[in-house]
Amino acid sequence: MKNHYFISFTLFVGSLLSGCTGLPEQVTAVSPFSLEQYQGKWYEIARLDHSFERGLENVTADYAINDDGSVTVLNRGFNAQDKQWSEAQGKAKFVDVDNVGHLKVSFFGPFYSSYVVFGLDQQDYQYAYVSGYNKDYLWLLARTPEVSEQRLADFKASAKQRGFDIEQLIMVKQDPK
């Protein structure tokens, strides 16, 4: 299980149809969106469960803009049971225009899946509400390992309003830095 996270995520993405770059019903990507402000490190605060992240804590995502305008994505998490770090590196691109928070990400060859930022602190880029192409994928990301109860409540209300099953949310353990 040396790279459990990478292998699981690769299998997950590989199982998707190559056309999974749409938006879930009732979800609209934020606009304006600045990739320059979005890049950098994000901490995963909450998520819906998936095999590619199961058992991982201290999960982070790092985004870096490449010279060609695409984005290198590095997801990393610690598996406490196996006592080892796992990571997956991928590439993201805008689906349509570069000022809307609707990207497609690939961790496995030509297969892409939606990455939809539907909630965002558009002034300081301190939190983001993210979904995939359907309502099985949901994340709360933040620039810090913890968020306020108010931020968490807002995330849950926003997700519930859009039809996500917030009763299934997992709060990700983050060790304060």
Side-chain angles (χ1 to χ4, degrees), residues 53-120:
E53 287 189 287
R54 193 160 291 135
L56 295 181
E57 53 192 49
N58 293 304
V59 178
T60 59
D62 284 283
Y63 304 94
I65 301 173
N66 299 317
D67 291 340
D68 67 358
S70 67
V71 179
T72 295
V73 180
L74 179 62
N75 291 336
R76 192 165 194 254
F78 186 74
N79 185 314
Q81 183 176 349
D82 295 341
K83 299 191 182 342
Q84 67 181 12
W85 288 93
S86 298
E87 62 182 42
Q89 185 170 331
K91 189 174 193 175
K93 303 175 182 180
F94 284 100
V95 171
D96 291 314
V97 294
D98 66 2
N99 67 344
V100 175
H102 184 198
L103 295 94
K104 57 185 181 179
V105 64
S106 175
F107 289 88
F108 184 69
F111 300 99
Y112 282 87
S113 188
S114 278
Y115 181 97
V116 184
V117 180
F118 68 89
L120 180 66

Side-chain angles (χ1 to χ4, degrees), residues 22-33 38 42 46-48 99-103 114-122 125 127-141 151-166 169:
L23 297 166
E25 191 175 312
Q26 299 176 306
V27 174
T28 303
V30 297
S31 180
F33 177 82
Y38 198 80
W42 291 86
R47 69 171 180 252
L48 290 179
N99 67 344
V100 175
H102 184 198
L103 295 94
S114 278
Y115 181 97
V116 184
V117 180
F118 68 89
L120 180 66
D121 167 16
Q122 289 181 294
Y125 282 64
Y127 67 84
Y129 305 166
V130 180
S131 77
Y133 69 96
N134 68 27
K135 294 188 181 160
D136 292 336
Y137 304 96
L138 178 67
W139 295 269
L140 167 57
L141 305 178
R151 173 59 45 223
L152 184 59
D154 183 73
F155 169 69
K156 288 178 178 179
S158 182
K160 184 176 182 178
Q161 178 184 27
R162 288 166 175 80
F164 289 93
D165 184 3
I166 63 166
L169 274 176

